[in-house]
Amino acid sequence: MVNMGDNPGIAWVSGASGYWGRKTVMSLLRLNWQVIALSRQEPKDLPDWAIAQHKSLFWQPLDLEAPDWPSALSELPGPQALFHCVGLFDDDFERMLRVNVVQSAQLIDLAAERMQAQQSGRIGIYLGQNGRLGMPGLGAFSATQGALWTWTESRAKALKQERTGVSLSLVFPERAPSHLQGQLAERLNRKIKLTPPETADDLVAGVLKGQPRVGRKPWLAGLSTLLT
């Protein structure tokens, strides 16, 4: 099992410069995890916050569009946990497929293989209701979310069958004032009701416990969108 003592281990957080990535990094640091933040741009203010709190945070530049991005991770220690918070919205469908699905799946598999070798690990994949709810103007983005969603469900079941001590959780966070949510609202030309929690503590705790699904119930999420 994942050690939940004073030094739980090393956690990778991809998409660490985004809203949920930042919240997840802070939650893990409060739990005394050593965190490696993976993102194209360094998360603003997080390094200073970590230093002030006497926590261990390291930033590793990572661009999933770079052809040699796996080499950036080859020398990194761990991970005992991976939190994948990447979500790209763009007019280029193929670009979204590469980042949101193909390269994301490769990153998750890379981390899972390391965890299987150590016979322990926790993986949390942050997803959105758009993956199962078609809305005007969001078809291409929703298709990539749906593909990752289905792939994640399949991968989670395979890991469970292999009994290697590695669990994969589907994470459905609340709507929050993220850059991505702003892009979706603009494309829909509507105001989206936001219910952001102060922290990602509950989401992180669910993943570390190995819960299959964490956060919002997807079917309720879809229903609430239709009614608001």
Side-chain angles (χ1 to χ4, degrees):
M1 294 180 62
V2 173
N3 177 15
M4 293 297 291
D6 293 336
N7 297 292
I10 296 172
W12 292 2
V13 180
S14 52
S17 60
Y19 182 91
W20 284 111
R22 289 173 57 85
K23 294 283 189 184
T24 298
V25 167
M26 296 176 75
S27 293
L28 287 164
L29 290 175
R30 283 192 290 268
L31 292 172
N32 293 320
W33 282 78
Q34 299 175 57
V35 178
I36 298 179
L38 307 173
S39 58
R40 286 182 295 180
Q41 299 178 342
E42 185 173 9
K44 295 180 180 179
D45 304 325
L46 272 183
D48 291 338
W49 182 88
I51 292 172
Q53 301 296 320
H54 306 289
K55 304 298 185 181
S56 178
L57 173 64
F58 174 78
W59 174 56
Q60 171 62 51
L62 179 68
D63 183 355
L64 291 179
E65 295 187 86
D68 61 343
W69 68 261
S71 65
L73 308 179
S74 60
E75 300 300 323
L76 293 182
Q80 281 71 53
L82 167 70
F83 291 80
H84 185 66
C85 311
V86 172
L88 172 70
F89 181 76
D90 193 80
D91 288 327
D92 187 334
F93 188 18
E94 291 187 2
R95 184 186 180 207
M96 286 194 292
L97 281 172
R98 286 194 302 271
V99 174
N100 293 349
V101 185
V102 178
Q103 305 301 342
S104 287
Q106 187 175 347
L107 172 58
I108 295 162
D109 273 341
L110 186 155
E113 289 172 4
R114 291 196 183 190
M115 293 176 189
Q116 287 175 301
Q118 64 196 18
Q119 297 188 327
S120 177
R122 297 287 182 265
I123 302 173
I125 311 303
Y126 285 56
L127 299 163
Q129 65 183 12
N130 305 85
R132 298 281 168 89
L133 183 66
M135 301 187 74
L138 300 182
F141 174 74
S142 296
T144 67
Q145 283 282 288
L148 182 62
W149 186 334
T150 303
W151 180 89
T152 299
E153 287 179 324
S154 176
R155 195 70 176 90
K157 292 174 182 177
L159 287 170
K160 185 176 181 179
Q161 289 179 348
E162 291 165 7
R163 299 179 181 274
T164 57
V166 181
S167 67
L168 194 159
S169 305
L170 284 72
V171 182
F172 300 94
E174 297 287 344
R175 293 196 193 99
S178 64
H179 177 66
L180 175 60
Q181 195 66 251
Q183 290 179 297
L184 300 181
E186 182 178 359
R187 179 58 58 89
L188 290 170
N189 193 27
R190 58 180 287 191
K191 185 176 180 179
I192 297 178
K193 183 179 179 180
L194 304 176
T195 55
E198 293 184 2
T199 72
D201 290 357
D202 289 344
L203 301 179
V204 168
V207 173
L208 295 180
K209 291 176 183 176
Q211 296 175 355
R213 296 200 178 204
V214 180
R216 305 173 76 194
K217 290 184 173 62
W219 69 272
L220 288 177
L223 180 61
S224 67
T225 300
L226 295 173
L227 296 178
T228 55

